[in-house]
């Protein structure tokens, strides 16, 4: 059979999987592929009509190809491997509860598992699911069952489904299987060795070649042989494993460029890595093709180069190391100083290596002399999330607090915060900037001393007239005007309290500093869930509201506030695992910020697009899910629309008199029903959308209930 490469078989006598195959699907001839219609091979495709058809239509030129074509015909038009990969992802995202036997009826239950050509990780997952060597004990299960197997990732489940799809489209999935091999190690051992090798590559890439690969914990008073064993394992470092990863990134790029044909080279030079990019139409004219075809060639070249620069290559290792270092962003100058190779010119392209990496890799971007991973826009969002954890109720963040949490020099941090749109006053960033009153109050807190309106305008570097500041602050309960200068109302009680205190005041209190100013002193870092913006509680479930980004749809992880980590059961320095119908969801707090693992599979299941609002759902016993907010009519009462924004499962079913209490409960104001108190709490949280709805109900509306 053409296109089948045999790989080492990792099985043993106690689990006779047979010998796995690495299948090159695109190498199959039409005679080797099924002539049965796709929809007859895979009955679940019958549901992809109307709006759902958009998930499959881009995969092949013919409209409704899954109804009118067979795999043998589709393979003549498109990359069959890509079609199957996409179908596997669609199935995993949308058919979790479906029984595999019903979804893949063409598969023979007696077919050896080896026919799936799985790698050692997927093989190990199925080994943990069943001890049988045929599909008879696999097909009765579901994707949800596969996700329930310990140590199973989303990629592993997709690999298993992909293997089922490959066997489904083959006329004879048994062809090429060799079951007479007798390997000497189970799949899990092969996977372990491979994992250690990759870990060694990573440690070397990070300059940690002498760091132990594994640590072993044993009981006190363990037998001497066990103690010696633990010492041997703990002594294993990257230096003990073969070092085959010392590849030069520039040379790798050069070798890849040399393998491109004339059309691909032109697109690479004129579009992908050009300082001044040529328009697609002009490139198409040079190639005598349409602009659309030129765009496809561009995408293919980018995909080809990316595929050759994965982790383990010189380029891939460099990119992986850079992504760790730019948290959340780094000036390009600082990055070039730390990694001079980035400034090296790629001879055949006449541009520096960093520009090539920027243009080819979707998870490394340089914009306006800032380098970020995956993008500068994501770095801005991550910075906003970080500041939220450090901000005071008036939206003031001391730069010293942030500088200690990021890998950026202080001066660079201040420039970056300005780039993000934050106002910096008296070594503090102001996060509440929607109204001039908020900025003025924040400036007063940051300065720590009374100021006139003119002085506040100067501190804010604002072009507003001083009288507009006076007008904005006139009816603001947070400030007091005395002798022509504004002061914070909280200062009136802070001085005597601080003078008597023996220890530093807490987060919400002011203390007298050596220079006589009154500034907040933090006792702890990170807000509680009740203080965290866009995080709401309904019963025993918490909902965190986010807007979907392109990076999340590509599979990137993303930072979340400390309050979200708290409801997920993840503390600083820890990694937590949440359970869901689509497998384990990881959240890590091993760096400056808690970071969520990819939620791409959940977004695919919702058919979510960039800009859509979704809710991360944290239930009891560390359960997790992603769903859309409930829908309510546009003319619904403002408080019900507010509950829908928060993710309340039944905003239209709450009794009218209970609405204020439920809105208050969402942010920890248990039993509170006074509109002014609730509205003030949401304002302090910086909840602009919710605040506007509450104001519609209680300030501009007919509800006059108050303190």
């Amino acid at each position: 059979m053409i296109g089948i490469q045999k790989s080492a078989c990792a099985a043993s006598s106690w689990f006779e999987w047979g010998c796995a195959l690495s299948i090159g699907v695109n190498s199959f001839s039409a005679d080797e592929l099924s002539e049965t219609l796709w929809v007859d091979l895979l009955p679940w495709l019958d549901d992809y009509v109307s709006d759902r058809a958009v998930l499959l239509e881009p995969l092949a030129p013919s409209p409704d190809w899954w109804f009118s074509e067979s795999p043998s015909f589709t393979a003549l038009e498109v990359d069959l491997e890509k079609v199957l990969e996409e179908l596997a992802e669609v199935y995993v995202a949308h058919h979790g509860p479906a029984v595999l036997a019903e979804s893949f009826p063409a598969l023979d239950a007696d077919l050896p598992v080896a026919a799936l050509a799985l790698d050692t990780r997927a093989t190990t997952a199925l080994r943990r699911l069943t001890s049988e060597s045929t599909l008879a004990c696999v097909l009765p299960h579901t994707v949800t069952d596969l996700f329930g197997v310990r140590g199973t990732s989303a990629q592993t489940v997709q690999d298993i489904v992909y293997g089922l799809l490959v066997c489904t489209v083959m006329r004879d999935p048994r062809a090429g299987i060799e079951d007479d091999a007798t390997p000497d190690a189970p799949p899990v051992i092969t996977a372990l060795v491979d994992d250690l090798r990759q870990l060694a590559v990573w440690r070397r890439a990070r300059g940690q070649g002498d760091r132990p690969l594994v640590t072993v914990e044993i009981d006190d008073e363990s037998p001497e042989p066990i103690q010696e064993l633990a010492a041997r394992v703990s002594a294993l470092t990257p230096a003990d494993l073969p070092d085959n990863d010392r590849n030069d990134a520039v040379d790798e790029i050069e070798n890849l460029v040399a393998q491109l044909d004339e059309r691909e080279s032109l697109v690479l030079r004129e579009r992908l890595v050009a300082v001044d990019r040529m328009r697609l139409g002009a490139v198409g004219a040079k190639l005598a093709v349409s602009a659309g075809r030129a765009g496809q060639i561009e995408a293919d070249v980018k995909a080809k180069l990316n595929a050759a620069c994965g982790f383990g290559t010189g380029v891939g290792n460099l990119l992986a190391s850079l992504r760790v270092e730019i948290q959340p962003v780094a000036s390009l100058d600082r990055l070039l100083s730390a990694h001079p190779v980035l400034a090296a010119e790629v001879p055949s392209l006449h541009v520096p290596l960093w520009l090539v990496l920027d243009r080819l890799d979707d998870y490394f971007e340089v914009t306006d002399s800032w380098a970020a991973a995956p993008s500068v826009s994501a770095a801005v969002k991550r910075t906003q999330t970080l500041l939220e954890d450090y901000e005071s109720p008036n939206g003031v963040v001391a730069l010293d607090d942030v500088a200690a949490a990021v890998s950026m020099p202080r001066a660079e941090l201040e420039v970056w915060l300005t780039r993000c749109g934050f106002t910096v006053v008296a070594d503090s960033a102001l996060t509440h900037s929607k109204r001039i009153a908020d900025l003025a109050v924040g400036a007063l807190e940051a300065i720590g001393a009374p100021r006139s309106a003119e002085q506040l305008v100067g501190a804010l570097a604002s072009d507003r007239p001083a009288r507009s500041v006076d007008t904005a602050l006139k009816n603001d309960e947070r400030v007091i005007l005395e002798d022509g200068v504004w002061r914070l109302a909280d200062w009136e009680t802070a001085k005597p309290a601080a003078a008597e205190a023996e220890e530093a005041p807490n987060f919400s209190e002011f203390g007298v500093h050596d220079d006589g100013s009154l500034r907040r002193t933090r006792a702890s870092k990170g807000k509680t869930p009740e203080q965290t913006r866009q995080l709401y509680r309904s019963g025993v479930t918490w909902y965190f509201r986010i807007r979907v980004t392109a990076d999340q749809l590509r599979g990137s992880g993303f930072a979340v506030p400390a309050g979200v980590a708290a409801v997920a059961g993840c503390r600083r320095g820890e990694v937590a695992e949440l359970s869901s119908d689509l497998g384990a969801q990881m959240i890590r707090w091993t760096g400056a910020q808690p970071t969520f693992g990819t939620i791409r599979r959940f977004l695919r299941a919702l058919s979510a697009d960039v800009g859509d609002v979704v809710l991360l759902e944290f239930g009891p016993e560390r359960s997790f899910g992603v769903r859309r907010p409930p829908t309510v009519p546009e003319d619904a009462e403002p408080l019900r629309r507010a509950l829908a924004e928060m993710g309340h499962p039944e905003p239209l079913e709450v009794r009218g008199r209970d609405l204020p209490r439920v809105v208050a409960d969402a942010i920890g104001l248990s039993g509170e029903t006074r509109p002014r108190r609730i509205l003030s709490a949401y304002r302090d949280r910086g909840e602009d959308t919710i605040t506007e709805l509450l104001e519609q109900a209680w300030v501009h509306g007919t509800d006059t209930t108050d303190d």
Side-chain angles (χ1 to χ4, degrees):
M1 181 182 293
I2 299 174
I4 297 183
Q5 296 178 338
K6 300 175 183 178
S7 65
C9 179
S12 66
S13 57
W14 50 264
F15 191 58
E16 297 177 354
W17 286 102
C19 187
L21 304 175
S22 177
I23 302 179
V25 178
N26 290 336
S27 299
F28 291 166
S29 66
D31 292 339
E32 294 172 297
L33 296 171
S34 174
E35 293 183 347
T36 304
L37 294 179
W38 283 98
V39 72
D40 292 333
L41 290 172
L42 306 168
W44 48 275
L45 293 178
D46 192 45
D47 294 333
Y48 288 82
V49 294
S50 301
D51 292 342
R52 298 194 76 191
V54 71
L55 294 173
L56 303 184
E57 286 172 345
L59 303 183
S62 304
D64 299 338
W65 55 268
W66 57 101
F67 288 114
S68 60
E69 296 179 6
S70 66
S72 62
F73 184 85
T74 303
L76 300 175
E77 301 182 297
V78 297
D79 184 328
L80 184 59
E81 183 173 330
K82 289 184 178 179
V83 172
L84 296 181
E85 287 175 349
E86 186 68 19
L87 287 178
E89 190 168 350
V90 167
Y91 185 83
V92 170
H94 296 275
H95 301 273
V99 176
L100 295 174
E102 297 174 0
S103 299
F104 301 89
L107 292 179
D108 185 352
D110 293 330
L111 186 69
V113 171
L116 302 183
L118 301 175
D119 64 13
T120 53
R121 292 174 182 81
T123 301
T124 298
L126 289 185
R127 171 65 183 84
R128 289 169 174 165
L129 181 72
T130 173
S131 61
E132 297 297 324
S133 60
T134 68
L135 297 187
C137 288
V138 175
L139 294 176
H141 290 282
T142 67
V143 161
T144 302
D145 295 337
L146 294 176
F147 274 121
V149 176
R150 73 181 190 278
T152 301
S153 66
Q155 186 59 57
T156 295
V157 175
Q158 280 185 207
D159 289 345
I160 293 171
V161 173
Y162 177 81
L164 295 172
L165 285 166
V166 171
C167 289
T168 296
V169 302
M170 294 175 66
R171 288 195 180 203
D172 182 12
R174 297 174 185 270
I177 297 177
E178 297 180 2
D179 55 7
D180 56 348
T182 306
D184 54 9
V188 68
I189 299 301
T190 304
L192 175 61
V193 173
D194 184 57
D195 288 343
L196 288 174
R197 182 190 63 80
Q198 291 197 53
L199 180 57
V201 171
W202 175 241
R203 290 278 169 80
R204 285 192 287 264
R206 298 291 299 136
Q208 301 169 346
D210 58 349
R211 183 175 173 181
L213 290 174
V214 181
T215 57
V216 179
E217 294 184 5
I218 59 175
D219 298 322
D220 294 338
E221 307 302 329
S222 295
E224 186 174 345
I226 298 300
Q227 294 182 37
E228 293 175 351
L229 179 153
R232 287 196 302 272
V233 174
S234 298
L236 184 65
T237 70
D240 296 314
L241 298 181
D243 184 1
N244 300 319
D245 54 285
R246 293 187 178 277
N247 302 316
D248 183 89
V250 174
D251 286 347
E252 284 185 352
I253 295 294
E254 284 287 272
N255 291 335
L256 293 172
V257 171
Q259 297 174 38
L260 300 178
D261 61 31
E262 186 176 347
R263 294 198 309 175
E264 292 172 331
S265 294
L266 188 146
V267 169
L268 176 65
R269 289 180 169 83
E270 301 294 345
R271 280 284 300 174
L272 281 173
V273 301
V275 176
D276 297 314
R277 293 188 176 188
M278 184 181 290
R279 292 181 298 105
L280 273 176
V283 173
K286 275 194 171 186
L287 298 177
V289 299
S290 67
R293 177 55 185 149
Q296 183 59 52
I297 295 174
E298 179 183 35
D300 290 344
V301 171
K302 186 174 180 179
K304 181 185 294 186
L305 295 179
N306 269 325
C309 295
F311 180 67
T313 66
V315 174
N317 293 351
L318 175 60
L319 281 168
S321 184
L322 291 175
R323 294 185 193 114
V324 172
E325 294 176 31
I326 47 182
Q327 301 295 331
V329 73
S331 68
L332 181 59
D333 288 342
R334 177 162 62 88
L335 216 55
L336 295 180
S337 176
H339 299 275
V341 67
L342 292 172
E345 182 180 89
V346 179
S348 63
L349 300 177
H350 306 294
V351 294
L353 177 61
W354 69 260
L355 179 62
V356 177
L357 301 182
D358 169 34
R359 299 293 177 79
L360 295 182
D361 188 82
D362 288 335
Y363 293 88
F364 175 76
E365 176 186 293
V366 178
T367 300
D368 298 332
S369 297
W370 292 100
S375 65
V376 172
S377 61
V380 171
K381 178 62 178 175
R382 186 164 185 171
T383 302
Q384 292 169 342
T385 301
L386 177 62
L387 294 190
E388 287 177 14
D389 278 339
Y390 287 86
E391 68 183 2
S392 74
N394 289 328
V396 179
V397 181
L399 296 191
D400 286 342
D401 287 341
V402 183
V406 297
S407 56
M408 301 172 67
R410 171 62 180 273
E412 183 178 308
L413 172 63
E414 188 165 341
V415 175
W416 169 244
L417 292 177
T418 302
R419 162 69 171 76
C420 293
F422 295 105
T423 300
V424 177
V425 174
D427 294 326
S428 299
L430 308 185
T431 61
H432 294 182
S433 58
K434 184 178 181 181
R435 303 180 303 168
I436 184 60
D438 293 333
L439 281 171
V441 170
L444 279 174
E445 180 177 319
I447 295 169
R451 289 290 186 269
S452 66
E454 291 82 359
Q455 290 171 320
L456 289 174
V457 168
L460 293 169
S462 173
D463 56 2
R464 291 175 177 267
R467 64 177 178 275
S468 68
V469 175
D470 279 326
T471 301
L473 294 178
K474 185 176 181 180
N475 296 315
D476 197 307
E477 297 178 349
R478 296 173 293 179
V479 292
I480 298 171
L481 180 62
E482 274 185 7
D483 300 326
V485 294
W486 292 99
R487 63 179 66 243
L488 292 184
D490 288 343
W491 288 343
E492 298 308 303
T493 57
K495 284 186 177 180
E500 297 175 3
E502 294 182 358
E503 298 180 355
N506 64 29
F507 179 80
S508 61
E509 295 176 338
F510 289 89
V512 181
H513 289 243
D514 293 340
D515 60 2
S517 63
L518 279 160
R519 293 195 300 274
R520 296 187 191 270
T521 304
R522 297 179 58 94
S524 61
K525 296 183 179 180
K527 293 184 177 179
T528 65
E530 290 77 14
Q531 297 170 323
T532 301
R533 193 172 302 152
Q534 299 190 132
L535 181 61
Y536 317 99
R537 186 172 189 170
S538 179
V540 296
T541 303
W542 288 88
Y543 300 99
F544 183 55
R545 181 184 177 88
I546 65 170
R547 195 169 294 276
V548 177
T549 67
D551 294 321
Q552 289 167 349
L553 287 175
R554 285 203 302 259
S556 297
F558 55 99
V560 295
V564 175
V567 301
C570 183
R571 295 181 294 183
R572 187 182 296 275
E574 293 184 346
V575 178
E577 181 177 296
L578 311 179
S579 62
S580 81
D581 290 341
L582 295 181
Q585 178 64 41
M586 307 302 295
I587 177 170
R588 300 175 180 275
W589 197 353
T590 54
Q593 295 173 267
T595 304
F596 236 71
T598 177
I599 58 169
R600 184 173 188 267
R601 60 198 187 280
F602 297 97
L603 299 179
R604 287 295 300 266
L606 295 175
S607 299
D609 205 350
V610 174
D612 288 356
V613 171
V614 298
L615 299 164
L616 307 188
E617 182 179 276
F618 302 90
E621 299 182 2
R622 292 199 172 188
S623 62
F624 176 76
V626 181
R627 67 177 181 86
R628 294 185 181 276
T631 302
V632 296
E634 292 184 4
D635 59 353
E637 298 169 76
L639 294 185
R640 297 190 188 279
R641 281 186 283 150
L643 287 180
E645 291 278 330
M646 301 174 198
H648 190 285
E650 296 181 324
L652 298 178
E653 304 302 319
V654 179
R655 292 183 301 180
R657 66 173 180 269
D658 292 334
L659 285 171
R661 177 185 56 78
V662 176
V663 170
D665 287 347
I667 58 171
L669 298 177
S670 180
E672 182 62 73
T673 59
R674 293 169 291 183
R676 181 179 297 174
R677 188 68 57 84
I678 299 170
L679 181 54
S680 177
Y682 276 96
R683 280 176 178 161
D684 288 345
R685 256 177 156 233
E687 299 273 7
D688 294 337
T689 301
I690 304 296
T691 297
E692 289 176 3
L693 289 169
L694 299 186
E695 288 176 343
Q696 288 180 33
W698 293 330
V699 178
H700 309 301
T702 58
D703 190 338
T704 58
T705 305
D706 207 334
D707 288 16

